[in-house]
Amino acid sequence: MKSVYVVADNILSPLGRTTEENFSNVSRGQSGIQLQDNKALYTQPFYAAMLQPGQLEGYWNEDSPDNYTKFEQLLILSVQTALDRTEIDITDGRTAFIVSTTKGNIELLEQHPSDAPLQEMELFHTAKKIAAYFDYKEDPIVVSNACISGLLAILTARRLILSGRYDHAVVTGADVVTQFVLSGFQSFQAVSSEPCRPFDAARKGVTLGEGAGTVILTCKEAYIPANAILVGAGAVSNDANHISGPSRTGAELSQAMVSAMKNSMVSSTDIGFVSAHGTATLYNDEMESKALQLAGLLDTPVNSLKSYYGHTLGAAGLIEAIIGMHALQQNVVIPTLGFETLGVSEPVKVSSEMMQKEMKHFLKTVSGFGGCNAAMVFSK
């Protein structure tokens, strides 16, 4: 059976333009979350991980970003940086182009309230626009399934490659902090009044973030570097519980976790760490603790990267998986910022300090509105 590997990646976020910059800042305990005073988004200051004014524009070289929205610029710059790190030609007819997002260009609705450019807000239209920038001729694929979109896009790419339809895949995802998104979470009273503290007893809710992540996958040995990460099996499930409230038992997320491990031919004791969804909301973290218990992972270190990036929605699964891959390569478990006292019912081993550990596999989990869950194994 063929194997699928990650041969290039990129993260573009408030913590930097490249994966290396992001991983270095995260390793030093630096968070992208800051107090924002943006009256266009909310009348009062709020915490979020947002790109600073001029930061994104400063990343462009010769090309002009004038014809692209902030969301589109994030995708283009992230994809370009990843493509520069491999010889794969995405115009060869054997490469899938997959875009993951939850809200795409929703900011256009705020910028043009009386005459919104509806076509520009259609996700497939945007995906084709991004693909065309790279002279990609085939139809791209859009994955938009709430906050599991990024990881689900990787899972989809792996399955397409294993099916023989493609040899390679470019998987990219992004979302931006907008008034629409912020007000939506505020309507649930789910936005924290301080930087989020996943799994902590004093957690007050989610902190939003923005950014983009890209991975390039292949099954062709000629493109695979010596230290490439193997993309293991993944699985999805649904709570069938509530449009915004997660399962009260964690059984459904656990099913996805167990299936991902089983189909990757690893056991819970083989997992070096779990990169959890960890939104720092009351119900999500509690649900995840129960899922970890059911999956036999209570003795495994667990972290959440939301305290560095905020919740980047459709980019979260990608950004957090990429950081996890580099942590796996360097045999480290990243700590969860802000965590002090366990605030969930199951005795989860939340990582609170940088830990050096020999390991070969990690498990990434994500969950989202509508009860969706996904889990995936990544290996050396």
Side-chain angles (χ1 to χ4, degrees), residues 353-367:
E353 296 181 354
M354 185 71 80
M355 178 190 308
Q356 198 77 31
K357 180 183 181 184
E358 289 291 329
M359 51 191 167
K360 294 184 178 180
H361 317 275
F362 83 94
L363 179 70
K364 176 69 193 127
T365 67
V366 285
S367 298

Side-chain angles (χ1 to χ4, degrees), residues 50 56 64 81 98 185 198 221 250 274 320:
M50 297 177 62
L56 188 60
S64 170
T81 302
I98 303 178
F185 278 91
E221 292 186 7
V274 177
E320 294 166 15

Side-chain angles (χ1 to χ4, degrees), residues 114-176:
S114 60
D115 188 25
L118 298 181
Q119 187 180 46
E120 295 296 322
M121 294 167 61
E122 294 176 356
L123 299 184
F124 184 64
H125 175 85
T126 302
K128 290 188 71 173
K129 184 178 179 181
I130 302 304
Y133 180 90
F134 296 101
D135 295 322
Y136 187 82
K137 305 302 183 184
E138 297 187 45
D139 284 340
I141 298 167
V142 174
V143 176
S144 184
N145 188 3
C147 298
I148 76 169
S149 299
L151 196 65
L152 182 57
I154 300 175
L155 190 159
T156 301
R158 178 181 184 270
R159 290 175 175 175
L160 286 170
I161 292 173
L162 292 180
S163 75
R165 173 62 183 86
Y166 296 101
D167 296 325
H168 327 288
V170 175
V171 183
T172 187
D175 266 304
V176 299

Side-chain angles (χ1 to χ4, degrees), residues 31-71:
S31 174
I33 298 172
Q34 296 183 19
L35 188 64
Q36 310 289 336
D37 190 4
N38 187 331
K39 297 297 192 297
L41 299 183
Y42 191 56
T43 57
Q44 302 296 322
F46 61 96
Y47 282 96
M50 297 177 62
L51 292 153
Q52 297 302 305
Q55 183 177 357
L56 188 60
E57 292 80 0
Y59 291 153
W60 287 83
N61 295 322
E62 299 177 359
D63 294 319
S64 170
D66 294 343
N67 295 326
Y68 300 95
T69 65
K70 182 179 183 179
F71 167 68

Side-chain angles (χ1 to χ4, degrees), residues 110-365:
E110 302 156 17
Q111 296 168 1
H112 308 276
S114 60
D115 188 25
L118 298 181
Q119 187 180 46
E120 295 296 322
M121 294 167 61
E122 294 176 356
L123 299 184
F124 184 64
H125 175 85
T126 302
K128 290 188 71 173
K129 184 178 179 181
I130 302 304
Y133 180 90
F134 296 101
D135 295 322
Y136 187 82
K137 305 302 183 184
E138 297 187 45
D139 284 340
I141 298 167
V142 174
V143 176
S144 184
N145 188 3
C147 298
I148 76 169
S149 299
L151 196 65
L152 182 57
I154 300 175
L155 190 159
T156 301
R158 178 181 184 270
R159 290 175 175 175
L160 286 170
I161 292 173
L162 292 180
S163 75
R165 173 62 183 86
Y166 296 101
D167 296 325
H168 327 288
V170 175
V171 183
T172 187
D175 266 304
V176 299
V177 176
T178 66
Q179 184 185 53
F180 183 95
V181 173
L182 180 60
S183 63
F185 278 91
Q186 287 173 331
S187 71
F188 290 114
Q189 298 183 337
V191 178
S192 178
S193 59
E194 61 182 20
C196 65
R197 301 171 63 180
F199 297 104
D200 192 82
R203 66 189 186 276
K204 298 179 180 180
V206 70
T207 300
L208 294 175
E210 60 188 17
T214 301
V215 293
I216 300 180
L217 313 181
T218 189
C219 65
K220 295 298 183 180
E221 292 186 7
Y223 298 99
I224 302 171
N227 64 339
I229 292 292
L230 172 68
V231 182
V236 296
S237 65
N238 194 279
D239 299 338
N241 175 64
H242 189 271
I243 188 63
S244 60
S247 165
R248 296 299 187 262
T249 67
E252 297 78 15
L253 174 58
S254 172
Q255 290 170 3
M257 296 160 75
V258 170
S259 179
M261 290 187 289
K262 178 181 178 181
N263 292 326
S264 299
M265 294 182 288
V266 299
S267 68
S268 58
T269 57
D270 296 321
I271 300 297
F273 67 93
V274 177
S275 175
H277 193 50
T279 61
T281 60
L282 179 65
Y283 294 118
N284 175 86
D285 293 9
E286 175 64 14
M287 180 277 287
E288 283 198 272
S289 79
K290 293 177 179 178
L292 289 162
Q293 186 273 325
L294 292 170
L297 290 163
L298 287 182
D299 292 328
T300 304
V302 173
N303 66 18
S304 168
L305 297 176
K306 298 293 190 298
S307 48
Y308 299 89
Y309 290 102
H311 193 345
T312 54
L313 307 182
L318 276 160
I319 291 173
E320 294 166 15
I322 293 168
I323 292 293
M325 294 176 208
H326 286 260
L328 181 67
Q329 288 173 325
Q330 298 190 29
N331 289 314
V332 296
V333 180
I334 302 293
T336 302
L337 286 183
F339 177 80
E340 295 178 358
T341 304
L342 188 66
V344 292
S345 60
E346 299 295 338
V348 179
K349 289 183 63 175
V350 180
S351 174
S352 59
E353 296 181 354
M354 185 71 80
M355 178 190 308
Q356 198 77 31
K357 180 183 181 184
E358 289 291 329
M359 51 191 167
K360 294 184 178 180
H361 317 275
F362 83 94
L363 179 70
K364 176 69 193 127
T365 67

